[in-house]
Amino acid sequence: MITKQPSHQFERIFSTAHLHAPKNLDTDSISQLSKWQQSKLPLYLEIGAGKGKHALLFAKENPESRLIAVERTSEKFTAFDKQASVDILENLIYIHADAIAFTAHFIAPNTLDGAFILYPNPEPSNKNQRWLNMPFFEFLLSRLKPNAQIVLASNITAYIDEACARLDEVWQLPYQKRVIDKQSARTHFEIKYLARGEHCQELLIKKPEGYRTRFDDFFAKGDM
């Protein structure tokens, strides 16, 4: 099933063998997810959506696009749910789940027009848990359409520098690095960091035409 040679030489391969599908998704959400992935409208995924500030803002500003926002932490998801219940948006689905398990079981290959990873945990004690150091990143790339873009933002310069090195040396992906405007307010973390005067940066990572992964034809069928 996983036969294509990848466009990179990552030393480990992502496995879904012991990764269980999230159990708390209602049937309406699962049905909607399936329909969205078959639609021609642009579809985006946000990993670690927090309290939902960016997700709600993006959905409001991009009515012709659809966003799936995933948050694992119960406290943050509760705050997200409370706000989303006030600002009901038909182009937003928000999911309380682990993003890796959710993506593995519910996102089909070649369906996403983009993904957002905004201010992830830098995992200071375990660098192997950083997104570009994980085999899951290859799987995430397989879910993207050609020319789709991942936006990765952080206030930690060393995190961004390491990500750039991984993109150059391992993933072999083109990207742009830019400083985030001091007036930007996409997430609660971004507001806090910029108010402190911290140096916030983002990487715009592009999946080019012809980029291959070992998961291009893989989908955990039966979960949709």
Side-chain angles (χ1 to χ4, degrees):
M1 183 180 296
I2 305 173
T3 58
K4 291 185 178 181
Q5 293 298 310
S7 293
H8 60 83
Q9 295 297 321
F10 196 61
E11 63 273 18
R12 292 173 290 148
I13 188 166
F14 178 67
S15 173
T16 62
H18 303 290
L19 199 62
H20 299 294
K23 300 297 185 182
N24 60 342
L25 274 67
D26 59 76
T27 55
D28 289 342
S29 293
I30 294 175
S31 176
Q32 189 78 301
L33 285 167
S34 180
K35 291 177 181 178
W36 280 12
Q37 292 182 75
Q38 296 172 30
S39 169
K40 294 183 179 180
L41 292 176
L43 179 64
Y44 295 83
L45 173 69
E46 182 170 1
I47 293 175
K51 297 179 180 179
K53 186 174 181 61
H54 171 264
L56 292 165
L57 182 65
F58 180 89
K60 290 177 183 177
E61 293 183 346
N62 299 274
E64 297 303 316
S65 295
R66 291 167 171 175
L67 175 66
I68 304 164
V70 186
E71 173 56 40
R72 180 179 61 183
T73 308
S74 296
E75 181 181 356
K76 291 179 180 177
F77 183 79
T78 298
F80 188 169
D81 182 46
K82 183 178 180 180
Q83 186 59 50
S85 297
V86 175
D87 299 325
I88 298 176
L89 297 163
E90 294 184 355
N91 62 334
L92 172 65
I93 293 177
Y94 52 102
I95 304 292
H96 184 202
D98 175 81
I100 293 177
F102 171 81
T103 302
H105 286 279
F106 291 104
I107 302 297
N110 192 40
T111 55
L112 297 175
D113 292 89
F116 300 96
I117 309 175
L118 305 179
Y119 302 95
N121 184 337
E123 302 288 353
S125 62
N126 188 359
K127 68 177 184 179
N128 288 330
Q129 292 298 311
R130 298 170 189 165
W131 291 105
L132 274 75
N133 293 342
M134 298 171 66
F136 169 73
F137 193 73
E138 179 184 354
F139 189 90
L140 177 60
L141 291 170
S142 75
R143 310 297 97 171
L144 298 176
K145 297 176 182 177
N147 298 312
Q149 179 175 269
I150 296 174
V151 179
L152 173 69
S154 179
N155 63 316
I156 301 174
T157 299
Y159 188 100
I160 292 293
D161 290 345
E162 180 187 71
C164 290
R166 299 301 271 178
L167 289 168
D168 291 334
E169 300 166 9
V170 177
W171 300 110
Q172 300 176 18
L173 287 166
Y175 63 91
Q176 290 181 295
K177 179 171 71 171
R178 63 187 188 188
V179 176
I180 295 171
D181 188 273
K182 294 180 180 179
Q183 303 304 313
S184 186
R186 293 176 296 184
T187 77
H188 293 90
F189 281 127
E190 186 163 85
I191 293 170
K192 178 172 68 174
Y193 296 147
L194 290 172
R196 290 176 180 172
E198 297 186 23
H199 186 58
C200 295
Q201 301 176 86
E202 65 182 2
L203 300 178
L204 309 181
I205 305 164
K206 182 179 179 181
K207 177 184 176 180
E209 293 276 356
Y211 191 90
R212 296 174 296 164
T213 81
R214 290 167 286 190
F215 298 93
D216 290 349
D217 300 314
F218 176 80
F219 186 46
K221 295 178 180 179
D223 294 313
M224 293 294 288

